[in-house]
Amino acid sequence: MKIRKKILQLSLIMISICVLNGCVPFLNEIRSQAEWENRVTENNQKGYDLIENGKYEEAIPYLDEAVKYVYKLEPGVVDLDHEIELSELMDSPFNNLSWAYNELREFDKSLENIEKSLLILPNTDVEYVNKGNALYGLNRYDEALINYDRAIALEKTDKSAYYGKGMIFYDRQQYQDALKQFDTYLTYDDNDMDALEMKIYSHIRLGETKEALAVADDVIGRNSDQYEAYEMMADVLEETGDFEEIKKQLEFMSKKFPDRMDVYVRMINTYSAIGKQDEALSSYARAVKKDKSNIEVQNAMGSVYMNKSMYVEALTYYDKAVNISPRDETANINKLRALYSGKRNLQCVAFGAKAMKYQKDSSNIAWYTGKCNMELGNYEEAIGNFQSVIDKDENDDEAYANIAYAQLMLENNGEAEKYSAKSLSLYSDNSLAQYIKDALRERSRPLGQQIKKFFEEQYLYGDGKDEERDKILSKLDDANVTTKQIAEIIDRAKKRDDRFTFTLYGEVYDQVMMGSGNEIKFEDQGDIAYFRIVDFNANTDDAFIEKIDGISDTPKKTLVIDLRGNTGGVTDSANNMLDVLLPDYVTSTLIYKDGYTDSYYSDASHVDFKKIFILVDENTASAAELLTLGLKTYLKNVTVIGRNTFGKGVGQRVFEDKSNKIMVFVVNHYWNVKQNNIMNSHIKPDIYIKGNSLESFMKPVKASIK
């Protein structure tokens, strides 16, 4: 790197003059200037050398130290806001800092440093390339192109500027223009692998497979010992979809580079992508035979199943990756992602807490742990998780929105407002933050008016004009209406035969909240896995899934789900339990008064049992019937034992105000399983039981497994 020596030469002249005239104080000042210049030069060079060796983070402290002495030499540079002509010594550290931050993808910091560098004249093509790269990283493409062109105007052979322009055109899908830039780059460095790869991809995007193959073949001809050259050919062949040619290429690569495990990773990913699952599994088997401790192979196989929504199967491989290296961030994130997607929320929270101890700087680990805590209703814990995300990225609008939602659920309205406002300031279209803003606006109204709006919007049977009902509901407009009066008004406003719209308040509310724990019991009876489920609350599904995952050899065992006396509850819980036991189906469809529908889907992962028995009686209703009907409809090994169920084919929506101790349950939708609704009907058992003892219900179960 060229460093001008004019200041140093001037200093030596002044020292000579002072020696003749005896000006000791001035000599000391000159010595300080010379020492500061040396500090700039030495630290800048160390930083530069580290960047050249790819040690970007290590380079920054040296370059910062160089800048500190630049400020000592030229204090006016600290707040420089206009162009000034100085030596290259003064601007080189800023230019190199921009370079380092670009490599670290911290583009804001890169731009800040290069802007200062460009204020110190004269400017170079390298500076304009660094600015172009920073702007490109910030997606400011037009500005980046201007700076690349400025670099080329100063130095026609600056290949980096052509490469930058090529990348912008490629991102803009202007592939012909991109090709032109990459070709120009290659006239100055004809064997640069990155540029050759981008040239190949440009041909592929233009549908020019023949041309792409020619480039790839030429690259191999000139780089026959480089793995990357064969990877380019594999990329092109994958675009052709010719399985035999793809397989031939990958097998050749595995033999030519026997120690490259990434060949097998590529095989797994490629075969899976083109629907050759058996080939992917075979490649995985070959890979682990060579190296059982390779994390990338385990992650690749896990991703094969993740992409097929087979989250439990994916966990098998992600677990292996974590066991190989418990502190590997990618493996930990993959496992958390699979647990969250597979609705294994309890496992997710437990594993996330452990992973965060090892990976304190990972925002993704905190993110997925927070999402699982939200699903469990652990709002305080979720707030802590998302705050950790924000500590690492203060511009994460989704993290602010999630904190706002948790605060809303805790009825901390002030905090909810603060975080939703912050989220919207970062991204005005954040739907969750906007929902919270609207909900807070509604909460500011008197309680009675809130419940009136809730009832009018949500009540399934409230469609059409009803003057009598409107008159009854108008009494909720009274700002002083009590919770007892609210209950009476709702009772009068609902349909007479509607048994599922009601209000809980006061002491009854307290009793319900005290008893709203997890009402589920599990017994391992050897060949029988017995579950007693009293009702469906927000966490019933999580407890059920946790127990199901702990049962070994499920295909050899019988599952019994005892739903006697279960009057229902949260529809989501029943659907999530269906998700665990069913393969890829529409578990249920909710139908609202305006005709709109919502469907619940199970993913491809499921837990198989040899047989499933469901115990029901005349009090089995709602979500309990949904679970029963879903299993009976889609699985051939399900037997219903007991008596005709209640026949409640509707679901409710709940309004709750914790501070006023009130909950309003309103019939909100019909639910269907495969277009079948049991409202005013029943689920009829396969085996009818007269008595009420568990023994009488279990007798057919035990007889079936003898």
Side-chain angles (χ1 to χ4, degrees):
M1 177 175 290
K2 296 179 181 178
I3 302 295
R4 296 179 184 176
K5 299 181 180 179
K6 290 183 180 179
I7 294 177
L8 184 58
Q9 291 169 350
L10 180 60
S11 299
L12 292 172
I13 294 169
M14 296 305 296
I15 290 170
S16 300
I17 294 170
C18 281
V19 169
L20 294 173
N21 293 278
C23 46
V24 175
F26 187 67
L27 275 174
N28 290 335
E29 183 178 345
I30 293 299
R31 290 194 189 99
S32 295
Q33 292 271 347
E35 182 182 347
W36 294 343
E37 290 165 7
N38 286 333
R39 294 286 182 89
V40 173
T41 302
E42 290 171 4
N43 283 290
N44 186 56
Q45 191 62 48
K46 286 179 181 178
Y48 178 87
D49 292 340
L50 286 166
I51 296 173
E52 283 276 87
N53 290 309
K55 298 178 179 179
Y56 311 119
E57 290 185 356
E58 294 177 41
I60 288 172
Y62 289 103
L63 296 171
D64 283 338
E65 187 73 6
V67 167
K68 184 173 78 174
Y69 285 100
V70 167
Y71 290 155
K72 284 181 177 291
L73 287 164
E74 293 287 345
V77 174
V78 175
D79 298 313
L80 190 63
D81 60 0
H82 60 279
E83 292 182 345
I84 183 173
E85 188 162 353
L86 294 171
S87 71
E88 187 178 342
L89 180 68
M90 297 295 105
D91 75 348
S92 186
F94 298 107
N95 189 27
N96 288 332
L97 274 169
S98 176
W99 179 17
Y101 281 124
N102 271 332
E103 296 292 348
L104 292 169
R105 303 188 64 79
E106 296 184 44
F107 301 114
D108 285 319
K109 291 181 180 179
S110 173
L111 186 60
E112 178 184 346
N113 280 282
I114 200 61
E115 292 281 23
K116 181 162 283 189
S117 180
L118 286 166
L119 288 175
I120 301 172
L121 304 178
N123 296 324
T124 66
D125 58 304
V126 175
E127 290 173 288
Y128 286 117
V129 168
N130 275 332
K131 184 172 181 179
N133 290 344
L135 291 165
Y136 171 65
L138 294 168
N139 298 320
R140 292 161 62 176
Y141 292 162
D142 289 335
E143 296 170 78
L145 285 171
I146 290 170
N147 282 277
Y148 290 138
D149 285 335
R150 286 173 177 167
I152 293 168
L154 287 173
E155 178 53 70
K156 188 178 180 180
T157 63
D158 191 321
K159 62 181 183 179
S160 297
Y162 295 109
Y163 189 86
K165 291 182 69 175
M167 290 303 298
I168 289 175
F169 290 132
Y170 186 88
D171 288 353
R172 285 179 162 176
Q173 300 180 18
Q174 298 171 240
Y175 303 120
Q176 202 66 57
D177 292 328
L179 263 177
K180 182 179 178 181
Q181 300 301 320
F182 294 130
D183 277 334
T184 304
Y185 178 100
L186 289 165
T187 61
Y188 301 112
D189 188 349
D190 67 348
N191 205 33
D192 181 272
M193 287 298 199
D194 290 333
L196 287 165
E197 183 178 38
M198 291 311 303
K199 180 175 180 177
I200 286 172
Y201 281 136
S202 297
H203 279 305
I204 289 172
R205 296 296 172 260
L206 287 166
E208 298 172 352
T209 307
K210 184 177 179 181
E211 289 82 352
L213 283 169
V215 176
D217 192 55
D218 178 62
V219 171
I220 290 174
R222 289 187 288 151
N223 303 275
S224 59
D225 293 327
Q226 290 194 40
Y227 174 76
E228 291 75 14
Y230 296 90
E231 274 201 310
M232 291 183 197
M233 178 61 79
D235 286 340
V236 181
L237 290 172
E238 285 172 21
E239 290 294 324
T240 68
D242 187 332
F243 171 66
E244 292 303 325
E245 284 299 315
I246 294 169
K247 185 175 182 179
K248 181 179 177 182
Q249 176 69 13
L250 294 177
E251 290 296 339
F252 176 80
M253 290 166 65
S254 70
K255 292 174 183 176
K256 185 172 180 63
F257 304 97
D259 297 327
R260 293 293 297 255
M261 291 301 292
D262 42 355
V263 175
Y264 295 99
V265 171
R266 187 178 189 112
M267 283 179 163
I268 292 167
N269 292 331
T270 300
Y271 291 145
S272 175
I274 60 178
K276 301 291 183 179
Q277 190 75 5
D278 290 342
E279 297 286 349
L281 285 167
S282 175
S283 299
Y284 170 79
R286 290 169 59 191
V288 295
K289 189 175 182 179
K290 289 179 68 69
D291 184 359
K292 293 181 180 179
S293 64
N294 189 280
I295 293 178
E296 286 72 24
V297 168
Q298 305 297 344
N299 280 329
M301 200 65 221
S303 296
V304 167
Y305 286 106
M306 277 294 291
N307 294 335
K308 296 179 180 295
S309 299
M310 300 176 72
Y311 307 118
V312 175
E313 292 79 359
L315 274 170
T316 300
Y317 299 97
Y318 292 148
D319 273 333
K320 290 178 181 179
V322 171
N323 289 335
I324 292 168
S325 180
R327 301 193 180 193
D328 183 80
E329 182 178 2
T330 300
N332 283 314
I333 292 170
N334 282 340
K335 180 174 178 177
L336 279 169
R337 187 163 56 94
L339 288 169
Y340 171 63
S341 300
K343 300 181 179 69
R344 268 63 182 178
N345 296 312
L346 289 169
Q347 296 177 53
C348 172
V349 166
F351 179 72
K354 181 180 177 182
M356 280 189 286
K357 292 179 181 178
Y358 300 138
Q359 302 288 344
K360 294 181 179 179
D361 295 329
S362 174
S363 61
N364 284 322
I365 289 175
W367 174 270
Y368 283 113
T369 308
K371 294 299 287 184
C372 291
N373 268 317
M374 290 280 272
E375 291 293 326
L376 291 168
N378 299 336
Y379 298 120
E380 295 284 3
E381 292 85 347
I383 289 168
N385 297 142
F386 288 115
Q387 186 59 57
S388 294
V389 175
I390 291 169
D391 290 342
K392 298 166 187 64
D393 181 3
E394 60 183 11
N395 294 316
D396 192 320
D397 64 287
E398 283 292 335
Y400 285 105
N402 275 280
I403 291 177
Y405 183 79
Q407 296 288 8
L408 184 75
M409 293 297 99
L410 294 169
E411 296 191 4
N412 297 330
N413 296 342
E415 290 296 297
E417 182 178 15
K418 180 177 76 174
Y419 282 97
S420 62
K422 178 63 176 178
S423 176
L424 290 168
S425 72
L426 293 168
Y427 179 53
S428 60
D429 290 332
N430 187 293
S431 58
L432 179 58
Q434 187 59 55
Y435 163 80
I436 294 161
K437 182 180 178 180
D438 295 340
L440 288 169
R441 186 186 302 114
E442 183 62 24
R443 277 190 184 180
S444 67
R445 302 171 65 195
L447 177 63
Q449 293 179 23
Q450 293 181 52
I451 293 174
K452 177 185 176 183
K453 183 179 180 182
F454 170 77
F455 186 92
E456 290 175 337
E457 291 181 349
Q458 302 298 331
Y459 192 45
L460 179 63
Y461 309 123
D463 202 15
K465 186 68 175 174
D466 189 329
E467 292 182 2
E468 181 61 27
R469 179 178 293 155
D470 291 343
K471 184 178 178 181
I472 294 169
L473 291 174
S474 67
K475 297 183 183 300
L476 293 173
D477 290 328
D478 183 353
N480 298 314
V481 67
T482 66
T483 53
K484 180 181 179 181
Q485 290 170 332
I486 290 171
E488 293 170 348
I489 293 167
I490 295 299
D491 195 51
R492 289 172 57 204
K494 70 179 185 178
K495 285 179 64 177
R496 287 188 178 183
D497 60 347
D498 177 5
R499 294 167 288 176
F500 309 121
T501 295
F502 55 88
T503 305
L504 303 177
Y505 65 95
E507 292 181 2
V508 177
Y509 174 91
D510 288 335
Q511 292 170 8
V512 170
M513 296 307 292
M514 288 177 63
S516 62
N518 180 32
E519 301 296 332
I520 186 169
K521 175 185 176 183
F522 168 68
E523 290 180 6
D524 184 348
Q525 300 177 0
D527 291 335
I528 298 173
Y530 172 84
F531 284 87
R532 174 79 171 108
I533 302 174
V534 176
D535 64 15
F536 289 85
N537 61 49
N539 296 129
T540 301
D541 52 338
D542 297 296
F544 179 78
I545 293 168
E546 183 85 352
K547 297 297 184 183
I548 284 286
D549 284 345
I551 302 171
S552 60
D553 295 326
T554 57
K556 299 179 181 179
K557 295 187 176 180
T558 294
L559 172 66
V560 176
I561 304 176
D562 188 349
L563 300 175
R564 293 172 301 147
N566 186 321
T567 57
V570 180
T571 305
D572 283 353
S573 281
N575 277 296
N576 289 340
M577 291 165 68
L578 286 171
D579 185 4
V580 172
L581 298 171
L582 296 178
D584 190 7
Y585 288 117
V586 178
T587 60
S588 69
T589 300
L590 311 188
I591 306 163
Y592 301 96
K593 65 180 181 181
D594 57 8
Y596 284 99
T597 61
D598 269 335
S599 293
Y600 285 80
Y601 300 87
S602 56
D603 57 53
S605 290
H606 60 285
V607 180
D608 286 323
F609 284 89
K610 184 179 180 181
K611 295 180 181 179
I612 298 177
F613 291 89
I614 307 172
L615 314 185
V616 300
D617 62 15
E618 56 277 356
N619 294 314
T620 302
S622 190
E625 291 175 295
L626 172 60
L627 178 63
T628 303
L629 189 60
L631 293 174
K632 182 65 178 174
T633 299
Y634 290 117
L635 298 180
K636 295 180 179 180
N637 63 341
V638 175
T639 303
V640 180
I641 299 175
R643 294 185 288 277
N644 289 352
T645 62
F646 187 89
K648 181 189 174 187
V650 294
Q652 296 143 303
R653 187 81 180 269
V654 183
F655 174 96
E656 181 179 11
D657 189 308
K658 294 181 176 67
S659 60
N660 286 293
K661 296 185 178 181
I662 186 170
M663 296 175 74
V664 181
F665 291 76
V666 168
V667 172
N668 172 253
H669 60 268
Y670 292 103
W671 57 260
N672 287 350
V673 173
K674 206 173 182 180
Q675 299 184 353
N676 187 10
N677 184 276
I678 48 87
M679 191 65 183
N680 299 319
S681 180
H682 316 279
I683 298 174
K684 296 180 180 180
D686 299 300
I687 300 174
Y688 189 82
I689 302 295
K690 289 184 178 180
N692 292 319
S693 68
L694 176 60
E695 183 180 356
S696 61
F697 277 79
M698 289 295 291
K699 189 175 180 179
V701 177
K702 292 178 180 178
S704 73
I705 61 175
K706 286 182 179 180

